[in-house]
Amino acid sequence: MSDLLNPANFIVLGVIAIGMFFGLRRIAASTHGKSCCSDGASGKKAKRVVVADTDESHYPYREELLIGGMSCDGCAQNVVNALNALDGVWATVTYADHTARVRSKRPIDREALETAVRDAGYFVMKM
């Protein structure tokens, strides 16, 4: 009986309860059409940017970036928005492989891309 009242048991139960709470919140959000960050709760949400020119022949320069810190499709959309906000850039990001495919009308400034990703709350991993 005294083992049940051990303070360490209460700490373990508390950690489990907190983990379950956050896990259930994430499941509930995903079942209501939201993701971990697309509802703006994380503060990472970037303004939606739509690229008007999607003719690939207008973008002779290409770069692929491996993006870290994404945990859902909403995160991928945030990275897309950050990159597409750059002048002359058209980017797509796939959460499944954590890859940003960037097309540009001018030679690509990789540092500018990395800064945009970083400012959105994510990071570029070395490939």
Side-chain angles (χ1 to χ4, degrees):
M1 182 71 177
S2 66
D3 286 340
L4 291 175
L5 298 177
N6 184 338
N9 289 340
F10 288 108
I11 293 171
V12 169
L13 288 174
V15 169
I16 290 171
I18 290 170
M20 288 178 58
F21 171 76
F22 285 108
L24 290 174
R25 264 185 58 185
R26 192 153 190 177
I27 290 168
S30 67
T31 61
H32 288 96
K34 297 179 180 177
S35 64
C36 66
C37 57
S38 65
D39 60 359
S42 71
K44 291 183 183 177
K45 186 169 181 160
K47 181 180 178 192
R48 183 157 177 84
V49 177
V50 178
V51 175
D53 181 5
T54 56
D55 182 340
E56 287 194 43
S57 68
H58 296 167
Y59 297 89
Y61 303 97
R62 299 177 187 273
E63 181 82 38
E64 281 196 2
L65 306 172
L66 189 58
I67 307 296
M70 296 190 306
S71 58
C72 69
D73 286 329
C75 294
Q77 186 60 52
N78 289 340
V79 174
V80 164
N81 292 333
L83 292 170
N84 286 341
L86 299 172
D87 189 40
V89 170
W90 174 27
T92 56
V93 178
T94 307
Y95 168 65
D97 65 4
H98 296 270
T99 302
R101 289 166 184 84
V102 180
R103 298 166 194 89
S104 180
K105 293 180 177 182
R106 289 179 289 287
I108 293 176
D109 177 356
R110 187 172 171 98
E111 184 59 38
L113 298 178
E114 291 184 13
T115 298
V117 170
R118 194 171 35 254
D119 289 349
Y122 307 93
F123 58 95
V124 176
M125 297 186 285
K126 302 298 177 201
M127 295 173 85

